[in-house]
Amino acid sequence: MARRWVVPLLLVCLLSGYFLFQKQLWEMRAEVRRSAVAGYVIPSKFSRVLALEHKGLISDFFLLKTITFFGERVIAEQPLSDEDWRFIVGSLDAVTDLDPYFLDPYLLGEGLLTWESEKVEEANRLLEKGRKYRTWDWQMPFYLGFNHFYFLGDNEKGAEYLLEAGRLPDSLSFLPDLASRIGYYGGRSQDAAVFLKGILAQTDDRQVKMRLEKRLLVLERSAFLEKIVETFREEKGRMPVDIEELIVLGYIKDLPEDPYGGRWVIMDSGRVFSTSKFVQH
């Protein structure tokens, strides 16, 4: 009778030991993640020679290494240092030097280098490389247009890139109209949200997608407030004194929450920004 319990008891002991070991292993790996350095990127002039006919395979490996590095930092809730960002920029450069027709590194660079680190010039340089090789791809000038419009405040250049994107095969049908709107009055949060939805549609990485979705939520709420401000201006013949006046005079019941913890501010132009600047407080 006692023998019947030996095997189940042994299995319970083994499983308990296994999960205890896994817990300790995860804690050890967490410490490694916190202390891991960015590493070294092999210069493209060497990696191209070493890769021989396997450039596509090596570029896949470099991209996976970059995604894993960023993901580990996010999981460990560890802010990326300047050295970390230099590693990511260098890695994406190496990947696209090995295979300049590879779409994924351009999309990853757009998602990380602009929103996460404000390295817009580096993102644009990467996209210009993609634009040179992927001449049929409307996404390259599309993202360049967004970066110039939203991050650099260059509405004219942003509109030029959008018009270029609109002339390429399979591009979004509303791009010419969006370009004209941006060229005319600079666009508002609603236009930025349209751009970001396009970026999200092309993003597969879960960590990047989650962060972009959070930013999209802020832009959509900002766009909602801008519409209310515009209604206020048309009816009152002036701009609101501050964002709270919209509540006091009954235009809205309460303010939508900024998921980053910031406060809404109305600019003289009528645009509504958050003091969080997309950074968690």
Side-chain angles (χ1 to χ4, degrees), residues 5-61:
W5 295 100
V6 172
V7 173
L9 184 62
L10 183 60
L11 285 174
V12 169
C13 292
L14 288 173
L15 286 172
S16 299
Y18 171 78
F19 286 117
L20 178 62
F21 171 74
Q22 286 295 319
K23 181 176 182 294
Q24 292 175 338
L25 180 61
W26 177 255
E27 291 173 351
M28 291 170 61
R29 291 176 66 184
E31 181 60 33
V32 171
R33 287 195 300 271
R34 284 191 289 271
S35 58
V37 296
Y40 175 72
V41 179
I42 301 175
S44 299
K45 62 182 179 180
F46 297 127
S47 60
R48 278 197 298 263
V49 175
L50 295 172
L52 299 175
E53 71 274 14
H54 305 294
K55 291 183 177 64
L57 182 62
I58 299 300
S59 65
D60 287 346
F61 171 75

Side-chain angles (χ1 to χ4, degrees), residues 123-136:
N124 284 349
R125 180 173 52 79
L126 199 66
L127 289 169
E128 288 289 3
K129 186 192 300 184
R131 180 168 167 252
K132 175 183 176 182
Y133 288 94
R134 298 179 59 87
T135 54
W136 68 92

Side-chain angles (χ1 to χ4, degrees), residues 220-261:
E220 289 177 334
R221 290 178 176 178
S222 176
F224 164 74
L225 291 173
E226 286 175 354
K227 289 181 179 179
I228 302 298
V229 169
E230 181 61 21
T231 300
F232 183 102
R233 186 191 64 78
E234 290 175 353
E235 293 182 358
K236 301 293 185 183
R238 63 176 178 85
M239 294 292 290
V241 174
D242 52 35
I243 199 75
E244 283 75 20
E245 190 175 14
L246 298 177
I247 300 176
V248 173
L249 296 185
Y251 281 83
I252 53 174
K253 187 174 181 180
D254 49 39
L255 292 172
E257 179 186 3
D258 172 11
Y260 292 94

